[in-house]
């Protein structure tokens, strides 16, 4: 039996997943500020699913109530996990080949990272959770170093403007951010692995959401204050800001950024692969986790090479992810009622 | 057995030092300063390399030519027989002809070059950048250009201008000007205003310091008033733009400490008034050459609304205070 993790460890893992997206985001301070209402919305969306699966987890809840719906739902979930892992591999490869190794083949990074992450997923959630704690501490140190390094050049005070059209557009943006919160689905998959004490579970969610909001606002602020108008011309503004920062004796800080981003991406891909293994193991309980990790890792790397992966993940992130979180828990209820009436 | 396997695996890692071919340091040309010129449809560059001096007189400087910048850097690498490394590039100099022609394409290339930091300092050279970096045989090499610039910035004789500040699409921006002085020295000789990637206006040293006062980045300017008194000056600047009144109210607070001259505290108010007049004159010189000509180095135009920068009123208030005696720290 695999050891469970605490809900704080789960929260830190999910925070690192959010961080992996935030570090390469090119949103301005105003856009990042939309994370506050967005994360409130995600929190609200998670409540019914959290209550439903609090004791036994989301999948077992589906299984006990959903009857026949669980197998296609689980396969769908595995595919979502693999597509998300594949997309993250692609993004990481794209980042490395456009900023650090312009002459390298992206495939090297897809395969290399895929192997390492599959191995980590095969090891289980608990080692990842222990790594997550240190990675979170490292993230905090890096952010402090960024602030110190960028302090001398902080002269472009950001002006908060929701949007020229008004607050409605701001909230629409917040809704879009919430819809693209892939970590919400990851939470549902991983929640059964966390020790299920009621209060701590709630604390875990709020810790993750709070850290994500702080990191989002900080990344928007740092890139905007340090780069000003130049930020708009950059694909990865925070990486550019790190390259512009000078924190003696280290000098340029893009290397620190690279370490942090690599760590966060490693955890994120590993978690998606672990999620895939977890759901597959539910379907095939006799299969060994190592074999399932190889299957998931291979699947993610193959999908990473396919051009339509991006389209599918964009579709998922455009709203289906949150819809899944919202509607998912209601589906078994419908089945349950149907069964009861029959 | 498991431990031995782990150890072996760790040792194997020593063979995997990276995804790409390794380049020994001796095979790298680590570039410190680049001076770019453009003449007859061709780019010329002088590259100052780190710590690879063949001559005892100073750092090694190589020159290269190319129709495009990519070609130029490629030619420089071939000519040097080493891979160019621009990750430690500290200063980019634009020759006068290139600055007049327009640096938009050059900026596009430099901004996309992954090794170059966006915080790399830039300056415009009066004349050819290559000649400033590598003067004729009878003249010595100028000292560290970066030190010249940073000293000038400290004293308000040159504005800070990084690569990322020069975005053609955005507001106008000032860049420092370097020139070769008599003897083995480069001097800060004012500044220029770039507008849409081209030099639009030249600011003399007086107007340049007016700009630096408004930028609020002066760390220790020397004010040589008539008394004669010299003072090192720090600053605090604020401004308020009123689109309705088509006016900009600028307030500047300056604190200074006396370096030379009478130590009689009774004279302080008179010295402070003289300093205020001097600073006001410098800022007025800057306003005349830029904002009143429609140039907008502070992006105030976007906040001015419909009002015209050139016709707006600029109300200036300068307050000087002498705080202590003796040399400033």
């Amino acid at each position: 039996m695999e050891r469970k993790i605490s809900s704080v460890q789960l929260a830190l893992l999910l925070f690192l997943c959010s961080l992996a997206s935030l570090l390469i985001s090119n949103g301005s301070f105003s856009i990042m500020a939309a994370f506050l209402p967005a994360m409130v919305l995600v929190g609200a969306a998670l409540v019914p699913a959290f209550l439903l699966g609090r004791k036994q987890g989301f999948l077992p809840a589906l299984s006990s109530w959903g009857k026949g719906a669980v197998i296609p739902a689980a396969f769908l979930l595995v595919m979502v996990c693999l597509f998300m892992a594949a997309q993250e591999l692609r993004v990481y490869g794209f980042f490395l080949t456009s900023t650090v190794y312009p002459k390298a083949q992206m495939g090297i990074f897809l395969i290399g990272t895929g192997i390492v992450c599959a191995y980590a997923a095969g090891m289980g959630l608990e080692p990842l959770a222990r790594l997550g704690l240190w990675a979170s501490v490292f993230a905090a140190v890096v952010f402090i170093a960024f602030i110190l390094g960028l302090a001398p050049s902080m002269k472009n005070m950001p002006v908060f403007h929701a949007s020229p059209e008004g607050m409605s557009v701001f909230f629409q943006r917040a809704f879009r951010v919430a819809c693209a919160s892939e970590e919400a689905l990851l939470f549902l998959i991983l929640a059964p692995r966390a020790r299920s004490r009621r209060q701590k579970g709630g604390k875990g969610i709020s810790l993750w959401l709070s850290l994500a909001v702080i990191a989002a606002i900080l990344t928007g602020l740092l890139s905007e204050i340090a780069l000003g108008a130049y930020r708009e011309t950059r694909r990865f503004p925070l990486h550019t800001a790190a390259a512009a920062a000078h924190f003696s004796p280290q000098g340029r800080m893009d290397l620190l950024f690279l370490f942090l981003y690599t760590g966060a991406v490693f955890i994120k891909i590993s978690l998606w692969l672990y999620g895939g293994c977890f759901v597959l193991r539910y379907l095939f309980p006799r299969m060994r986790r190592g074999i399932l990790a190889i299957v998931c890792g291979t699947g993610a790397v193959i999908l990473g090479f396919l051009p339509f992966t991006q389209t599918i993940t964009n579709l998922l992130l455009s709203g289906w992810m949150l819809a899944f979180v919202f509607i998912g828990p209601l589906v078994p209820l419908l089945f349950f009622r149907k069964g009861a009436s029959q | 057995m498991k431990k031995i396997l782990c150890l072996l695996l760790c040792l194997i890692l020593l063979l995997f030092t990276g995804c790409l071919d390794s380049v020994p340091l001796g095979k790298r040309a680590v570039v410190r300063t680049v001076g770019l010129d453009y003449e007859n449809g061709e780019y010329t560059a002088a590259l100052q390399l780190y710590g690879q001096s063949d001559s005892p007189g100073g750092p090694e400087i190589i020159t290269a030519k190319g129709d495009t910048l990519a070609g130029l850097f490629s030619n420089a690498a071939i000519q040097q027989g080493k891979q160019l490394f621009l990750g430690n590039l500290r200063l980019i100099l634009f020759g006068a002809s290139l600055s007049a022609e327009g640096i938009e394409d050059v900026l596009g290339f430099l901004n996309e070059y992954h090794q170059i930091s966006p915080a790399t300092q830039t300056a415009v050279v009066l004349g050819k950048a290559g000649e400033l970096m590598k003067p004729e045989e009878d003249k010595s090499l100028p000292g560290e250009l970066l030190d010249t610039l940073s000293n000038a910035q400290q004293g308000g004789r040159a504005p800070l201008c990084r690569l990322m500040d020069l975005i053609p699409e955005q507001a106008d921006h000032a860049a420092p000007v370097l020139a070769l002085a008599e003897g083995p020295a480069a001097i800060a000789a004012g500044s220029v205003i770039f507008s849409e990637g081209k030099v639009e206006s030249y600011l003399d040293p007086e107007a340049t310091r007016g700009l630096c006062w408004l930028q609020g980045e002066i760390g220790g300017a020397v004010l040589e008033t008539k008394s004669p008194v010299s003072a090192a000056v720090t600053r605090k600047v604020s401004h308020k733009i009123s689109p309705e009144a088509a006016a900009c109210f600028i307030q500047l607070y300056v604190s200074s400490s006396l370096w030379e001259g009478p130590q009689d505290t009774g004279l302080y108010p008179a010295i402070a008034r003289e300093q205020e007049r001097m600073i006001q004159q410098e800022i007025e010189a800057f306003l005349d050459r830029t904002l009143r000509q429609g140039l907008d180095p502070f992006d105030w135009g976007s906040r001015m609304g419909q009002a015209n920068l050139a016709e707006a009123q600029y109300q200036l208030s300068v307050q000087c205070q002498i705080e202590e005696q003796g040399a400033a720290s």
Side-chain angles (χ1 to χ4, degrees):
Chain A
M1 182 69 186
E2 196 188 343
R3 285 173 65 185
K4 292 200 167 187
I5 62 171
S6 73
S7 46
V8 171
Q9 283 178 314
L10 178 61
L12 291 179
L13 285 176
L14 293 173
F15 158 66
L16 288 165
C17 292
S18 306
L19 193 63
S21 308
L22 290 171
L23 286 174
I24 54 161
S25 155
N26 59 358
S28 65
F29 172 60
S30 300
I31 289 175
M32 291 311 203
F35 262 77
L36 185 59
M39 290 297 116
V40 172
L41 192 61
V42 169
L46 281 172
V47 170
F50 177 69
L51 290 174
L52 197 64
R54 189 174 52 193
K55 284 186 181 171
Q56 48 191 149
F58 185 51
L59 274 169
L62 258 179
S63 126
S64 59
W65 290 2
K67 310 282 182 200
V70 73
I71 292 176
F75 270 115
L76 180 70
L77 213 51
V78 172
M79 287 316 291
V80 170
C81 289
L82 294 191
F83 270 108
M84 294 314 298
Q87 175 62 9
E88 208 56 44
L89 281 171
R90 283 172 66 92
V91 171
Y92 181 58
F94 174 70
F95 170 79
L96 285 183
T97 48
S98 52
T99 57
V100 191
Y101 305 110
K103 291 173 188 167
Q105 292 289 324
M106 205 165 98
I108 296 172
F109 302 108
L110 288 186
I111 295 169
T113 317
I115 290 171
V116 176
C117 292
Y119 178 71
M123 285 181 75
L125 191 61
E126 206 260 340
L128 274 174
R130 275 187 280 134
L131 178 68
L133 175 66
W134 292 109
S136 303
V137 172
F138 180 65
V141 171
V142 168
F143 268 98
I144 290 169
F146 278 179
I147 291 167
L148 292 175
L150 291 170
S153 55
M154 284 183 181
K155 55 181 179 180
N156 311 294
M157 286 316 290
V159 181
F160 175 75
H161 44 84
S163 74
E165 294 86 358
M167 290 305 282
S168 65
V169 176
F170 175 72
F171 285 111
Q172 280 174 23
R173 188 185 293 147
F175 184 72
R176 279 201 301 275
V177 171
C179 285
S181 174
E182 49 201 291
E183 293 81 21
L185 186 58
L186 207 48
F187 171 81
L188 290 180
I189 299 168
L190 299 179
R193 303 298 318 139
R195 279 179 225 128
S196 54
R197 283 188 197 167
R198 291 181 188 183
Q199 307 89 334
K200 282 193 176 179
K203 271 186 189 174
I205 295 181
S206 46
L207 178 66
W208 153 47
L209 295 176
S210 312
L211 287 174
V213 169
I214 291 168
I217 291 177
L218 212 54
T219 48
L221 260 179
L222 278 176
S223 63
E224 197 154 337
I225 290 176
L227 301 182
Y230 186 69
R231 188 192 60 78
E232 288 162 26
T233 67
R234 301 286 86 192
R235 174 67 184 83
F236 306 110
L238 200 64
H239 173 258
T240 308
H246 283 279
F247 185 42
S248 194
Q250 205 272 332
R252 286 173 63 152
M253 288 181 159
D254 40 351
L255 203 61
L256 273 183
F257 177 93
L258 194 61
F259 281 153
L260 179 61
Y261 179 56
T262 301
V265 160
F266 165 72
I267 284 179
K268 189 173 183 178
I269 298 170
S270 303
L271 283 182
W272 278 119
L273 293 179
Y274 176 83
C277 293
F278 182 69
V279 181
L280 274 180
R281 207 171 184 202
Y282 177 77
L283 293 171
F284 308 104
R286 289 186 182 177
M287 283 194 81
R288 290 176 61 187
R289 195 173 55 205
I291 304 288
L292 293 176
I294 293 171
V295 171
C296 287
T298 312
V301 170
I302 292 170
L303 286 176
F305 279 101
L306 301 176
F308 59 79
T309 299
Q310 175 136 25
T311 316
I312 291 176
T313 45
N314 283 348
L315 190 71
L316 284 168
L317 293 175
S318 67
W320 285 101
M321 200 64 87
L322 200 71
F324 196 86
V325 174
F326 261 126
I327 300 164
L330 301 177
V331 174
L333 285 177
L334 292 174
F335 276 90
F336 181 68
R337 282 189 177 178
K338 195 178 171 187
S341 63
Q342 280 173 353
Chain B
M1 187 63 189
K2 208 172 178 181
K3 281 181 185 174
I4 295 169
L5 259 175
C6 282
L7 192 67
L8 279 173
L9 276 173
C10 290
L11 287 174
I12 288 172
L13 284 179
L14 295 175
L15 302 173
F16 300 103
T17 50
C19 304
L20 304 171
D21 291 340
S22 64
V23 182
L25 198 56
K27 291 279 179 190
R28 272 204 192 279
V30 185
V31 183
R32 182 179 174 80
T33 307
V34 170
L36 291 168
D37 291 297
Y38 187 72
E39 256 183 0
N40 306 323
E42 195 178 44
Y43 289 105
T44 313
L47 309 171
Q48 183 189 0
L49 308 180
Y50 269 101
Q52 294 165 359
S53 172
D54 293 332
S55 60
E60 184 177 0
I61 293 173
I62 57 168
T63 52
K65 288 184 177 185
D67 293 337
T68 60
L69 284 171
L72 181 150
F73 283 109
S74 171
N75 290 343
I78 293 167
Q79 182 185 323
Q80 191 66 9
K82 292 176 179 176
Q83 274 196 21
L84 289 188
F85 179 69
L86 296 162
N88 278 317
L89 182 64
R90 294 297 164 88
L91 178 62
I92 300 167
L93 300 172
F94 301 113
S97 57
L98 177 62
S99 311
E101 189 81 22
I103 55 169
E104 202 165 337
D105 292 343
V106 177
L107 290 177
F109 175 82
L110 296 174
N111 276 319
E112 289 307 317
Y113 203 105
H114 69 287
Q115 289 177 351
I116 298 175
S117 165
T120 307
Q121 289 209 43
T122 59
V124 170
V125 175
L126 279 186
K128 285 186 179 176
E131 282 179 11
L132 180 75
M133 290 173 64
K134 196 174 184 179
E136 294 160 3
E137 290 298 321
D138 56 328
K139 290 183 180 174
S140 315
L141 286 166
E144 275 298 335
L145 295 173
L146 206 59
D147 291 342
T148 305
L149 260 186
S150 74
N151 289 337
Q153 281 156 5
Q154 183 82 358
R157 292 180 184 183
L160 174 70
C161 180
R162 299 161 302 175
L163 189 57
M164 65 185 186
D165 295 325
L166 295 171
I167 314 170
E169 301 85 19
Q170 298 299 322
D172 308 331
H173 203 279
V177 168
L178 288 174
L180 197 60
E182 291 297 318
I187 55 160
S191 57
V192 290
I193 302 288
F194 275 104
S195 183
E196 294 177 354
K198 285 183 182 175
V199 169
E200 279 297 321
S201 177
Y202 170 74
L203 305 182
D204 59 19
E206 185 188 30
T208 298
R209 196 152 74 172
L211 160 76
C212 294
W213 286 120
L214 291 186
Q215 281 183 328
E217 287 172 359
I218 292 182
V222 174
L223 282 177
E224 294 169 290
T225 47
K226 287 174 190 169
S227 300
V229 177
S230 297
V233 182
T234 53
R235 53 75 205 124
K236 186 179 167 189
V237 64
S238 67
H239 64 269
K240 186 182 167 193
I241 291 170
S242 166
E244 302 81 28
C248 180
F249 306 94
I250 303 165
Q251 282 190 315
L252 189 74
Y253 300 94
V254 170
S255 64
S256 62
S257 56
L258 298 187
W259 277 6
E260 292 175 36
Q263 302 297 309
D264 181 1
T265 51
L267 291 172
Y268 280 13
I271 297 167
R273 298 296 84 76
E274 207 172 337
Q275 288 180 345
E276 284 168 5
R277 272 196 297 278
M278 181 177 268
I279 293 169
Q280 201 143 5
Q281 200 176 322
E282 287 172 346
I283 296 176
E284 286 291 345
F286 164 72
L287 293 174
D288 285 344
R289 300 302 303 269
T290 55
L291 293 156
R292 288 179 182 134
Q293 302 292 325
L295 294 170
D296 187 13
F298 297 129
D299 199 17
W300 284 355
S302 57
R303 290 153 62 192
M304 199 65 99
Q306 298 296 319
N308 191 340
L309 269 183
E311 288 162 10
Q313 285 190 333
Y314 297 93
Q315 294 190 14
L316 190 58
S317 154
V318 181
Q319 287 179 19
C320 285
Q321 193 181 2
I322 297 172
E323 288 190 336
E324 57 187 67
Q325 291 185 338
S329 56

